[in-house]
Amino acid sequence: MKTHQPLTQQEVQRFAALAARLAENVNSVVLGKPQVVRLALTALFAQGHVLLEDVPGVGKTTLARAIAATVTGEWRRIQFTPDLLPSDVSGVTIFNQATRGFEFHPGPVFANIVIADEINRASPKTQSALLEVMEERTVTVDGVRHPVPQPFLVVATQNPVEMDGTYRLPEAQLDRFLVKLSVGYPDEAVEVEVLRGATLRSPEALPAVTDTATIAELIGMAQRVHIAEPLYAYAVRLAAATRNHAHVRVGVSPRGVIALTRAACAYALIDGRGWIMPEDLKTLAGPVFAHRLLLSSDAQVRGVNAAEVLRQAIASVPVPLPSGQTVPARA
């Protein structure tokens, strides 16, 4: 249970106003995808990481670069390729002949925002180099732990696993991502607008809206959002419904439940509320839970996908009411 000082209305309004400015900045180059941008910012404020999976050319890297450009801080981009080594990500210890000692040379993961482009084109060994830093915000090289800058956000892009030259991310690493998002194709009007200004819109041209110190402050505010007691139980029951589903081999872990409540706190603040509602949990269950489900072999043969299973699981859990009663959920 949270014991933080409750948020004041002034703090809530300040958070929502700054989040709106950040979203407007990113939306100026990522056209027609306001909900995707909002969910990405939710992950930033919830101290989580973002996985963007979609076909090439729909703006995954543009979204990642736009978020990095909007925040004044250090950011690095890592292009994952089959020959990339773990030390190319985390860094390496080199012997310095002048000082007669070993010196650590940090890799590109030492930044506030790390863009891991096409992460599933690298070997599983290199992919696993991100596991420790994504969870603990430290990198261990030759037995020595090195903390990364704070705040720390990994925005990874990946192509669908059915495409050539891709390696499926291990389940342990997928679980480290707070949300998994799909940008999707734009509608006709937006695509025409993109064509009109294709050479004018660039993430590098975006003005920085805030700095890392302010982002760290907003992250702290998100941790103070009020969660009513029935909503803790509701979040746990949503996860339990995935574990008990006939088409699920491995359901959502307790880490996934924690991720859902953290994301809901940030999502509510973006909406200008200092408390979360059941609708926040239901809205975020898809991006937070879907990539954590392992479907049974029978479900895969039948063509059942995780989104469909999740809709059924959510529909089976009664929604709590302020009075303490419950009403059946609707898919």
Side-chain angles (χ1 to χ4, degrees), residues 191-214:
E191 196 160 4
V192 169
E193 184 64 21
V194 170
L195 291 176
R196 285 175 177 164
T199 60
L200 302 178
R201 293 186 176 90
S202 172
E204 281 74 16
L206 287 177
V209 173
T210 187
D211 55 22
T212 54
T214 303

Side-chain angles (χ1 to χ4, degrees), residues 253-269:
S253 66
R255 180 189 287 148
V257 184
I258 295 172
L260 179 63
T261 55
R262 280 170 44 200
C265 290
Y267 193 83
L269 268 182

Side-chain angles (χ1 to χ4, degrees), residues 63-329:
L63 172 58
R65 289 164 57 197
I67 294 173
T70 299
V71 180
T72 301
E74 191 172 4
W75 69 277
R76 295 286 185 271
R77 178 175 178 268
I78 309 172
Q79 181 64 54
F80 280 72
T81 56
D83 61 346
L84 193 72
L85 299 175
S87 58
D88 296 330
V89 175
S90 57
V92 64
T93 301
I94 299 176
F95 183 75
N96 189 326
Q97 293 186 350
T99 61
R100 308 300 295 177
F102 288 94
E103 295 180 353
F104 176 65
H105 290 245
V109 77
F110 286 83
N112 296 112
I113 298 178
V114 177
I115 301 173
D117 211 4
E118 296 186 301
I119 188 174
N120 61 335
R121 291 203 180 278
S123 67
K125 184 176 181 179
T126 301
Q127 293 172 4
S128 65
L130 284 175
L131 275 175
E132 179 191 10
V133 67
M134 290 175 66
E135 182 68 17
E136 302 179 17
R137 270 69 176 176
T138 60
V139 174
T140 302
V141 178
D142 295 333
V144 180
R145 294 165 62 93
H146 305 274
V148 296
Q150 298 296 328
F152 177 72
L153 170 70
V154 173
V155 183
T157 72
Q158 73 169 5
N159 296 321
V161 294
E162 296 83 7
M163 301 187 71
D164 291 338
T166 60
Y167 298 86
R168 186 182 296 274
L169 290 180
E171 289 78 9
Q173 185 161 346
L174 280 174
D175 200 40
R176 260 60 173 192
F177 288 99
L178 183 78
V179 295
K180 179 183 176 183
L181 307 175
S182 174
V183 178
Y185 290 110
D187 58 35
E188 182 178 323
V190 170
E191 196 160 4
V192 169
E193 184 64 21
V194 170
L195 291 176
R196 285 175 177 164
T199 60
L200 302 178
R201 293 186 176 90
S202 172
E204 281 74 16
L206 287 177
V209 173
T210 187
D211 55 22
T212 54
T214 303
I215 293 296
E217 182 183 355
L218 298 183
I219 289 172
M221 291 170 61
Q223 296 171 352
R224 294 161 53 198
V225 171
H226 175 68
I227 304 178
E229 283 300 321
L231 294 184
Y232 282 113
Y234 182 55
V236 171
R237 288 168 187 158
L238 289 175
T242 69
R243 301 166 193 161
N244 299 326
H245 197 283
H247 288 150
V248 175
R249 179 162 54 93
V250 179
V252 175
S253 66
R255 180 189 287 148
V257 184
I258 295 172
L260 179 63
T261 55
R262 280 170 44 200
C265 290
Y267 193 83
L269 268 182
I270 293 175
D271 200 37
R273 288 179 283 108
W275 66 92
I276 71 170
M277 302 188 300
E279 288 75 13
D280 298 326
L281 297 173
K282 292 170 64 177
T283 299
L284 292 166
V288 175
F289 279 178
H291 63 287
R292 292 179 160 90
L293 297 180
L294 292 181
L295 301 184
S296 64
S297 301
D298 181 63
Q300 295 176 23
V301 170
R302 293 172 180 268
V304 178
N305 58 41
E308 181 180 347
V309 169
L310 201 51
R311 282 194 296 268
Q312 295 172 3
I314 293 173
S316 68
V317 181
V319 180
L321 296 176
S323 61
Q325 299 176 342
T326 59
V327 295

Side-chain angles (χ1 to χ4, degrees), residues 52-74:
L52 301 170
E53 181 184 81
D54 221 319
V55 297
V58 294
K60 302 187 300 294
T61 304
T62 299
L63 172 58
R65 289 164 57 197
I67 294 173
T70 299
V71 180
T72 301
E74 191 172 4

